Structure formats: C-alpha cells, structure tokens
Amino acid sequence: MASAALMRAAVRRTRDVMRCGPAAAALLNVHPDHPGRSSRPFHHGRAVIVNKRGADLLHDPWFNKHTAFEAPERDRLGLRGLLPPGYQTMEEQMQQFMRQYDSIDRKPRSADDPVDLQKWRILNRLHDRNETLYYRILMDNIQEMSRIVYTPTVGTVCQRYASLFRRPRGMYFSANDQGEMASMVHNWPSDRVDIIVITDGSRVLGVGDCGVQAVSVPVGKLDMYVAAAGINPNRVLPVVFDVGTNNSELMKDPLYLGLRHPRIDGEDYLELIDEFMEAVTTRWPKVIIQFEDMERKWAHVLMDRYRHQYRTFNDDIQGTGGLAVAALTNVLRAQELPPSELANTKIVVTGAGSAVQGMLVALQKAMVAHLGESKHNYVEAARNFWIVDNKGLMTEARSAAPNLLRGFLRPAAEARGEGALQEGAPLAQVVKAVKPDVLFGLSGKHHLFDKEVLRAVKNSGVARPAIFPLSCPTSHSECTAQQAFEGVGPNALFLAGVNYPSVRFPDGKIGHSTQGNHIFLFPGIAAGTLLSGARLVSEGMIHAAANEVAHYISDDDVKKGILFPPLSSIRDITSHVAVAVARKAAEEGLADGIPSLHADQLLTLSKDALRKQVEKRMWVPMYSTLIYGADLAK
C-alpha cells in the first residue's frame, strides 16, 4: 500500500510539473516535449516518463535496469513475471558483471579468440542490454577498459566486424546517399547532438583500410567522451562514411557489408564530405565534429577545409600535437630546465604520417612562442627535428616527401663533409650523430628501437633522455618499457602509446612507464568548447589543453619520471582541461557563451567555480525512477 501511495504521489507530482512547462519539468529530469527521453543527466531519485512497458521496456537499453527494477516499478511497468524475483542494486550488478569479466583472464588462451576481444564482446553485449550499467562500469574501470573499448582492441574489432556484427550503432553514410543527406540526418532520433566522430575507414590505426567496418572506431571513441567528459550518450553520434575500399580482401569477402568498389577520390570525395558537413550542421548547428582515422592525403585537407567554418578538429593530427607539447613540457620539468629550453631541444622522430605532421607543427609553434613570432624563427625551430621514415633520414634530397614535411627536412648542405648524415641514413646512425634529447616513435614498426638504437641513446650524454614509442597497438610499438630501461638505464623518461608496466631495478629504483593517451585531451577540448559556446576549435584552445594536462602532474611526480596522470582521474582531469580551453576561447574572442554562463564570466569567475560548472553538466550513469506515461492520464 505504501509503495502504491508513493507511486501515485510521484505521478501527481510529475503531472503537475509537466503542466508547468520546461523549467519545472527539469526538476524531475523530464523533457515536456519528449517525455520518453531524459533532458538532463540521470540522478538517482528523479523520475522519467516512459512510453513503453513490459518486454518492450526490457529491450530498450537506455531504460532497461534488468534486475534493478524495484517491486513497485515492476507492477506499474508490467514487468512482474518477466524478471527473476530477486532485486539487485547497481553496485551488486556491477560486482556480478566484473566477476564474469575477470574470469576471462583465467580461461585458456586462443590465438583465434584473443582475451581482449572476448572482453570487448562481453562489454558490447552489456551495452546492447543496459547502457546505464555499461557506462557506469566503463567509467569506474576506465584504466583497464579504455584499451578494450577503444585502441588497441578496436583495430581487431574492425578487422572482424562482419562476424561480430549484431546490431547497427551510429549512422552509415555512403556515396550512394549523395543528394539525400539533408533528409537522412533526420532519421537519427535525437534532436540534440553535441559531438559527432566521423571516419571514412581509410586508415584505422595498426590495421589500414577497413571500409565500413571502421564504424567501431567512432563508437569506441564516443564511449571515451561519455566516460571521460560526461557527455550524455543520447547526444553523441558515431558516423562511418563509406566511399568504397581499396582493400581487395574486403571486396572479396562475401560477408563484407560495405560498398564493393575502389575508394572515390578527388573532387568527388570532397563533394560528398561537403554535403555531409552541411547536412549535420544544418540540423545540429552547434555540433562538434571530430575526424578520426582518415588517410594522410585527406586528413590535413579536411582539417584545413572546415576548421574556420565549423566546430571541428582532427584528433590524429591536433591531438597528437597537443600530446607531444604536454610530454615535452614535462620532459623539461623532469630535467629541471626552464620552458624556454624547448626551443633548444633536439628531437628525432620516426614515421612520416599525419600524426607526425601534426606533432611537428605543434612543437614548432610551441618553440616559436619562446623564440618570438617571425619567419626566421620558424625556420630555426624546424632545425631541431630529424625525421626518419622507412627509407631512413629525410633530407631535402627526398623527392617524394609530403608537402607538409618539406619545411622540416634536413638541409642538403648538412650532407657534405666527412661523417655527415646523408639522405636515407638509418635510425641508429642518426641517433649516434644527433644525440637527441627526445626520440619519438610514430613509425608503427615493431621493435624499431632495438639494442643498437637504445645504446646510442644511452651514450648520447643526455642526463635524462626521453624515449617515446607512441605507436600502437602493442604489435606496432617501437619498444617496451622493459627494453627501454634495460637499454638506457633508470634515468630515462618513458612514454608509450600503450600501457606497459613500470620497471623495478635491483637497487629498488623504479623506471616509470607512462601512457601517452589522447583521452587526456579530447574530452576536455570538447567539454570546454561546449561550456564556452566557442564557434571554432582553435590551435590556441588545443595548446591550452596540452599545457593544463602537463601541469596536472606535481613537480615531485614529474621528477620521478611520471609524465602523465593516471586514467583513473580522468573526469577530474577533464574538468581542469575544459576550464583552460573555455578560458582560451574567451581570450581569443571565440566564445559566445551559453544561456547559463555568459562569455565574459569565463574570465571573471574563478577556476574552481568554472570547474563546478563543468562537473554539473557531466552525465552521471545512475538509474532513475520510471513512470509509464499512460498512467499520467488516469
């Protein structure tokens, strides 16, 4: 009786609120125009109106609570008899799931069914059943699960997508949709989308051309936005744009679900992407669009084509650049050198892809910030880099170098004289001659940093040399933490694209292994853009994000060789980064503000006050009380 009375009281209160309009409806987390959808983050104790009941409700992952439906809810929602009689709290459900998840590590290993892929499958099945529980578990276990939900496991998922496909996620645009995109965007059920991640599947990290199967990339990336930045999962949209594939194996695969023709190129390709950009920004004018895993020849073209017109950025290019700036900032702190010494830092870079190009440009700009803005100083800053690709050292003699790397090639004059580095010089020879402060790995070549290369780093005379094998997955990493510290010693600074364990030396010293993960940057960039109402995502905003991430680490930890914070602190990190990004947007005159926060307040309110604004807007995955809409009419 008491439960029934409480239900009737809740229904009366909800009906009254609905009559009072949007402001009052927000108190109950109810959207008066869309009563089946929550208009604000879930918080325990708030009621949500649903227009379905019984088995239909259990099959809706957004509202399904499975065994966490309480007895009164089961009665009013037609669930009695459709669930086991036992009740579980969310915490008990989490414990039950984690027992199943952890048991995978104890099963026999199989090359055909890797452990991480098994873990991805069990998480994906939970995602299909109960989104709230899925995101709560992901958020609480982000350190472990980020590599399962996103890189590096997502590469394997893309390769096996046809056999793993169970239900569609996101939207699938293709060359067949030309002329129809303005209408098809309305097939997506959400009237508000804050972030779109789009890929054309042409260059999935560590895998290559995956065609339409690359949809798992934006799905996984947006899960990171939800977990790290608290973006409401109802307001994200994963997109794969299928323009064909140059992967002959996919075209021959009878299970392949994409277009079976070579990739569309040139102006035809740009016309398709232009139409997509216009369509999504017409329906959602303030959406942030992040490009992901696009092949090198298009990555920079698309970034430059849209960056001054839409809220857009490329995480492979600009995210890698920001990560490099943050890493170098902390290398100088670890070496107890002033920030201005960045302009004198010698850097050897392996690889020549879009990530390398983004990193070079970002570090060059950071150096020029200390030298002073001038054409001469850009040239001087470029002389701090030596690029080594699969053909060796890149110099001005290289005929087929990408245009964006031209300004960073070693001058031809340097190749003259005895002992000078020639075009194509191997990495070990370059390291021996240059004696770099930092060795970056973005080559994707496994074990490229071999004993000879690491010995050259050790003998360089640099007190705390930095070794950064950033390629991932593990099968593409240039070296492990164990190999780096064994080869160079405990004073090395180590940062990797994958998560390696730290190394303990016989004398008790610890060689700290840090993961350089883009997740430290992109969630805060998005959250800061949304908070400020910024019209664009500027280079200054990304640099502000990088600087904030670097200084999130204490001086004591940096001196120990800990260059980035733990992922377990990601929401706190995101709130700090978001404030820095929002303030930079205001300083640059890009911030329009939002209804509850004027642009000028971004510079007058304290950082703590702004962080509270960020945290207040973060979606929290907790169950809500559900009320069947038809009951309101009784």
Side-chain angles (χ1 to χ4, degrees):
M1 293 293 292
S3 297
L6 286 172
M7 191 275 278
R8 286 194 296 271
V11 170
R12 283 196 301 271
R13 178 168 172 254
T14 303
R15 185 188 298 131
D16 291 342
V17 170
M18 296 294 283
R19 287 170 178 164
C20 292
L27 296 172
L28 269 181
N29 196 26
V30 172
H31 197 304
D33 299 321
H34 304 281
R37 291 270 181 173
S38 151
S39 66
R40 292 178 58 186
F42 279 156
H43 290 287
H44 190 65
R46 287 182 173 174
V48 173
I49 311 302
V50 293
N51 291 326
K52 56 183 69 175
R53 65 199 304 271
D56 288 344
L57 186 64
L58 294 179
H59 293 153
D60 187 332
W62 182 245
F63 294 116
N64 182 27
K65 297 191 278 186
H66 200 226
T67 53
F69 283 105
E70 298 181 7
E73 283 184 305
R74 296 185 187 202
D75 284 337
R76 67 175 177 262
L77 296 171
L79 300 176
R80 183 178 287 273
L82 300 183
L83 292 166
Y87 166 79
Q88 288 179 305
T89 64
M90 178 180 275
E91 287 67 28
E92 289 169 335
Q93 289 179 323
M94 292 168 64
Q95 291 169 11
Q96 182 182 40
F97 177 85
M98 291 307 298
R99 279 198 296 270
Q100 298 174 25
Y101 182 88
D102 292 338
S103 71
I104 294 173
D105 288 318
R106 299 189 292 273
K107 293 180 179 179
R109 303 297 173 100
S110 168
D112 294 331
D113 194 15
V115 167
D116 286 354
L117 187 60
Q118 294 180 47
K119 290 181 174 180
W120 179 88
R121 278 203 304 270
I122 191 175
L123 279 166
N124 194 54
R125 287 197 294 267
L126 177 63
H127 197 178
D128 286 345
R129 297 192 311 270
N130 185 334
E131 286 200 11
T132 308
L133 183 61
Y134 169 78
Y135 284 115
R136 175 67 182 277
I137 288 173
L138 178 59
M139 197 175 91
D140 287 3
N141 298 276
I142 190 71
Q143 185 86 36
E144 147 71 15
M145 292 181 177
S146 63
R147 66 184 179 86
I148 305 298
V149 170
Y150 193 56
T151 185
T153 307
V154 73
T156 306
V157 174
C158 290
Q159 288 177 307
R160 304 189 185 193
Y161 178 78
S163 62
L164 294 170
F165 180 78
R166 294 292 179 272
R167 53 168 287 191
R169 282 191 198 283
M171 289 195 74
Y172 301 76
F173 288 78
S174 79
N176 292 346
D177 300 316
Q178 190 163 20
E180 303 294 335
M181 296 181 209
S183 60
M184 67 184 284
V185 293
H186 292 276
N187 293 337
W188 189 249
S190 181
D191 288 332
R192 174 173 171 180
V193 171
D194 289 336
I195 303 175
I196 291 172
V197 174
I198 176 175
T199 183
D200 66 2
S202 55
R203 193 202 61 88
V204 175
L205 192 63
V207 177
D209 187 342
C210 288
V212 77
Q213 298 187 164
V215 67
S216 299
V217 170
V219 169
K221 188 82 168 197
L222 286 165
D223 281 349
M224 296 297 98
Y225 275 106
V226 174
I231 305 298
N232 191 315
N234 264 342
R235 299 175 185 169
V236 301
L237 174 55
V239 171
V240 63
F241 205 118
D242 186 359
V243 295
T245 178
N246 294 335
N247 186 331
S248 59
E249 293 301 314
L250 286 180
M251 284 198 276
K252 290 186 292 185
D253 185 350
L255 298 179
Y256 181 59
L257 298 171
L259 299 180
R260 296 171 184 271
H261 59 64
R263 287 186 169 274
I264 292 172
D265 209 351
E267 287 300 317
D268 292 338
Y269 176 88
L270 290 174
E271 284 180 13
L272 289 168
I273 305 299
D274 282 348
E275 183 181 346
F276 167 81
M277 295 295 286
E278 184 176 353
V280 295
T281 55
T282 297
R283 186 176 182 197
W284 304 293
K286 296 186 177 181
V287 68
I288 299 168
I289 303 167
Q290 187 221 298
F291 289 95
E292 185 85 1
D293 285 359
M294 317 290 273
E295 63 180 317
R296 183 174 66 185
K297 74 174 183 178
W298 287 122
H300 274 278
V301 170
L302 297 179
M303 182 181 74
D304 292 337
R305 189 177 183 88
Y306 303 124
R307 67 196 302 183
H308 300 299
Q309 185 178 359
Y310 305 114
R311 286 171 146 185
T312 184
F313 70 102
N314 184 305
D315 190 47
D316 299 318
I317 299 171
Q318 294 165 292
T320 302
L323 193 76
V325 170
L328 266 291
T329 298
N330 281 347
V331 165
L332 294 174
R333 292 173 67 198
Q335 295 171 341
E336 299 186 66
L337 296 172
S340 59
E341 277 301 302
L342 178 63
N344 299 314
T345 301
K346 293 185 292 183
I347 302 169
V348 171
V349 182
T350 63
S354 57
V356 168
Q357 295 169 23
M359 185 191 75
L360 294 172
V361 170
L363 288 174
Q364 182 189 41
K365 288 181 178 178
M367 291 174 180
V368 168
H370 296 290
L371 294 170
E373 190 76 25
S374 73
K375 185 176 180 180
H376 170 76
N377 284 339
Y378 273 95
V379 174
E380 286 299 302
R383 292 178 63 83
N384 287 328
F385 300 96
W386 286 258
I387 308 168
V388 180
D389 70 354
N390 58 355
K391 297 179 181 178
L393 180 67
M394 298 182 71
T395 72
E396 291 175 344
R398 181 71 64 94
S399 59
N403 288 334
L404 287 166
L405 293 182
R406 280 285 166 196
F408 295 94
L409 303 184
R410 300 311 300 179
E414 284 187 355
R416 303 190 187 104
E418 187 177 350
L421 291 172
Q422 304 291 325
E423 161 66 32
L427 177 61
Q429 183 184 345
V430 173
V431 173
K432 288 175 186 176
V434 174
K435 297 178 171 49
D437 300 288
V438 186
L439 175 60
F440 272 104
L442 287 160
S443 66
K445 186 176 180 181
H446 197 37
H447 295 324
L448 178 63
F449 298 170
D450 58 18
K451 290 182 178 180
E452 184 182 7
V453 170
L454 294 173
R455 192 181 306 117
V457 173
K458 182 178 182 179
N459 295 333
S460 66
V462 178
R464 301 206 70 179
I467 304 162
F468 294 167
L470 296 181
S471 295
C472 55
T474 306
S475 59
H476 291 252
S477 181
E478 287 81 7
C479 73
T480 67
Q482 187 77 35
Q483 291 165 340
F485 285 112
E486 283 181 356
V488 180
N491 287 332
L493 299 169
F494 184 83
L495 180 75
V498 295
N499 189 20
Y500 289 118
S502 295
V503 176
R504 184 176 291 274
F505 289 85
D507 61 2
K509 289 183 179 179
I510 297 176
H512 289 281
S513 172
T514 313
Q515 184 180 12
N517 198 317
H518 289 207
I519 196 174
F520 294 124
L521 291 170
F522 65 78
I525 292 170
T529 301
L530 293 172
L531 182 73
S532 64
R535 299 184 295 280
L536 305 170
V537 180
S538 70
E539 292 290 350
M541 292 160 68
I542 293 172
H543 185 83
N547 188 61
E548 191 68 25
V549 169
H551 288 92
Y552 189 88
I553 300 289
S554 69
D555 288 339
D556 287 343
D557 280 346
V558 169
K559 288 174 184 176
K560 293 175 186 175
I562 301 171
L563 301 180
F564 280 88
L567 277 177
S568 55
S569 305
I570 190 60
R571 283 213 169 181
D572 189 56
I573 297 165
T574 295
S575 69
H576 281 74
V577 172
V579 169
V581 169
R583 285 194 155 190
K584 177 55 70 171
E587 289 172 8
E588 294 181 339
L590 295 173
D592 288 338
I594 55 178
S596 57
L597 188 68
H598 296 298
D600 56 358
Q601 291 179 285
L602 296 169
L603 299 176
T604 58
L605 289 175
S606 69
K607 290 183 179 179
D608 285 342
L610 289 174
R611 275 197 297 273
K612 288 179 181 177
Q613 291 286 330
V614 175
E615 291 163 1
K616 184 174 72 174
R617 287 166 171 77
M618 286 182 170
W619 181 80
V620 180
M622 296 184 73
Y623 292 138
S624 296
T625 300
L626 302 183
I627 297 174
Y628 184 47
D631 289 338
L632 298 179
K634 296 178 182 178

